[in-house]
Amino acid sequence: MAVVNRIYLFSRISITPKILLDPINRVCGGRRFDSTSVSSDGEVSNSSLSTTPIIRRTLACPPEYKRVQQAWVENLNTVEEQKLGLIDLHPDVFGAQPRIDIIHENVEWQTKYRKVRYDHTKTRAEVRGGGRKPWPQKGTGKARHGSIRSPLWRGGGIAHGPRSPQTYFYMLPFYTRVHGLISCLSIKLAQDDLHVVNSLEIPTDDPKYIEDLVENRNWGPSVLLVDEIDIMPRNITAATDSILHINLMPVYGLNVFSMLKHDTLVLTMAAVNRIEEKLLYQLNRPDFMDVTKKFMLNQNG
């Protein structure tokens, strides 16, 4: 039965028209538009599709059985949206199966690791007074006590009460953090909430310009702009300084909580290259056992 299915699969591939194998039509899922005409040799004659520039990138660790994801490259130097071309995105980073459980673990970790509890209660040794025995051990008919600051007494110490400072910090496993980033990036792209721009250069530092741009392109209302380094262009920095719902972030600070907190994620092409480089290295590094060893429960094994 497996041999028959394999022959049928190869037969289907052999009769696939050339238009379905064209990189441009991969974005449209192999469907032809009404205004597109195909010649006998399978060439697309529509000028809008044939002139669409595709930004070729050499993908590290090229996938063998996964479909390459693609996204439009947009501009920021005009309020109106302009499509500059298509860019290939690695499916292992931007097209992975989303793991909601891993995303939840990352959010819980990020909200707890910086939490410190300052509730504090005193024990019987810290409460003032209670140095002498309130009455003799025998002869009074009363219950025996050694101090009036015992937890049994009113005004005494608290047994097993909260002690400050108490931290909730713990370290999430390394690859749980890696797959959390990959799941968030894949979800953002699948929901059309991830946009790629050529750069963060804008012509003015007026906050009204960036607000009009976000409104015109239906971004947001909260937008996270990510660049490769933390030295951003002056205009975009000044324009977003007074807007609390539009934030800038370098690649090394990208995290799951910030991506979920903002409705739209905007990456520069340099940021896309850096993100893929870092995440693909972690997914395919040969010494992954040494990296994860410190997160194992049994350190002596």
Side-chain angles (χ1 to χ4, degrees):
M1 188 63 183
V3 177
V4 175
N5 291 336
R6 191 174 302 168
I7 295 175
Y8 175 67
L9 176 63
F10 280 99
S11 64
R12 287 195 300 171
I13 296 177
S14 61
I15 62 175
T16 302
K18 185 178 179 181
I19 183 175
L20 299 184
L21 302 178
D22 191 80
I24 299 176
N25 292 277
R26 286 187 295 172
V27 183
C28 308
R31 295 173 293 177
R32 287 187 294 136
F33 296 100
D34 296 335
S35 59
T36 304
S37 60
V38 185
S39 60
S40 59
D41 56 352
E43 296 293 336
V44 183
S45 61
N46 188 322
S47 59
S48 63
L49 289 181
S50 60
T51 58
T52 302
I54 299 180
I55 303 174
R56 296 296 181 183
R57 300 171 61 235
T58 302
L59 300 180
C61 305
E64 297 182 5
Y65 304 104
K66 292 184 179 180
R67 182 177 179 180
V68 176
Q69 303 294 316
Q70 288 183 326
W72 289 104
V73 178
E74 307 172 22
N75 69 315
L76 290 183
N77 54 7
T78 59
V79 175
E80 294 75 17
E81 181 181 359
Q82 296 180 4
K83 305 292 188 182
L84 304 180
L86 287 170
I87 183 174
D88 290 335
L89 301 176
H90 203 289
D92 289 343
V93 178
F94 294 94
Q97 179 71 24
R99 291 283 303 273
I100 307 301
D101 56 329
I102 291 182
I103 294 178
H104 173 71
E105 291 179 12
N106 277 267
V107 172
E108 285 290 310
W109 170 63
Q110 286 192 248
T111 54
K112 286 183 177 179
Y113 73 77
R114 56 187 175 185
K115 179 181 178 181
V116 180
R117 185 174 178 178
Y118 292 99
D119 300 339
H120 184 81
T121 56
K122 293 183 179 181
T123 64
R124 61 183 295 170
E126 296 170 338
V127 179
R128 180 181 177 86
R132 72 178 181 88
K133 192 174 179 65
W135 49 74
Q137 181 83 354
K138 296 179 178 292
T140 61
K142 299 179 183 180
R144 53 195 176 189
H145 289 286
S147 173
I148 62 173
R149 299 311 181 200
S150 167
L152 302 178
W153 287 66
R154 183 186 179 197
I158 304 297
H160 311 295
R163 307 285 291 175
S164 69
Q166 180 182 358
T167 177
Y168 289 84
F169 175 84
Y170 65 96
M171 207 61 202
L172 200 66
F174 181 78
Y175 278 98
T176 304
R177 288 176 278 154
V178 171
H179 286 286
L181 293 173
I182 293 174
S183 294
C184 271
L185 291 171
S186 301
I187 290 174
K188 285 292 185 181
L189 181 63
Q191 294 179 343
D192 199 23
D193 290 329
L194 188 147
H195 300 271
V196 181
V197 297
N198 56 346
S199 67
L200 295 182
E201 293 287 349
I202 58 176
T204 178
D205 60 355
D206 186 9
K208 188 69 168 58
Y209 175 86
I210 197 70
E211 289 179 342
D212 293 341
L213 185 145
V214 170
E215 182 179 359
N216 182 270
R217 303 190 185 188
N218 295 321
W219 292 357
S222 56
V223 181
L224 180 63
L225 303 167
V226 181
D227 201 0
E228 182 182 11
I229 56 177
D230 52 7
I231 302 177
M232 309 288 182
R234 179 192 175 279
N235 287 344
I236 192 72
T237 304
T240 59
D241 185 55
S242 60
I243 307 176
L244 300 181
H245 56 272
I246 301 179
N247 298 299
L248 304 176
M249 180 177 290
V251 167
Y252 65 76
L254 191 63
N255 59 87
V256 172
F257 188 84
S258 296
M259 284 192 283
L260 295 180
K261 183 179 179 180
H262 296 81
D263 297 295
T264 303
L265 177 65
V266 180
L267 306 175
T268 62
M269 294 183 59
V272 170
N273 294 331
R274 190 65 172 170
I275 290 172
E276 286 191 358
E277 176 189 352
K278 288 291 186 180
L279 293 180
L280 288 175
Y281 171 74
Q282 301 300 339
L283 290 176
N284 299 278
R285 62 185 303 171
D287 58 338
F288 70 96
M289 289 299 295
D290 297 333
V291 177
T292 58
K293 185 175 181 181
K294 59 183 178 181
F295 300 106
M296 295 180 181
L297 295 178
N298 186 7
Q299 298 286 336
N300 299 323

